[in-house]
Amino acid sequence: MDVDKAIALVSAAGIELTDRRRNGSDDGWSLSFSNGAGLEVRDNGEVSATGKGAEAVASLLGLPAKSAGS
């Protein structure tokens, strides 16, 4: 999945994007959303959700959510 598609799907559900930046290893994007979710979208298409609102975001994207402690 590409970063723009991920943002569009989550934003369409009313969850506002609050931050978008390249990740530390410069192989993808780190996104933050208003519900507390963090989303990593790598350039190779891998996507993972973490944080307080991860379950909601993961559900919208059809992904398994990782717990905040993982």
Side-chain angles (χ1 to χ4, degrees), residues 8-40:
L9 289 170
V10 176
S11 296
I15 302 172
E16 182 182 347
L17 178 69
T18 58
D19 189 43
R20 173 183 176 164
R21 65 182 71 189
R22 291 295 288 178
N23 64 15
S25 54
D26 198 32
D27 66 353
W29 294 92
S30 292
L31 308 175
S32 298
F33 291 93
S34 59
N35 71 341
L39 196 63
E40 289 287 323

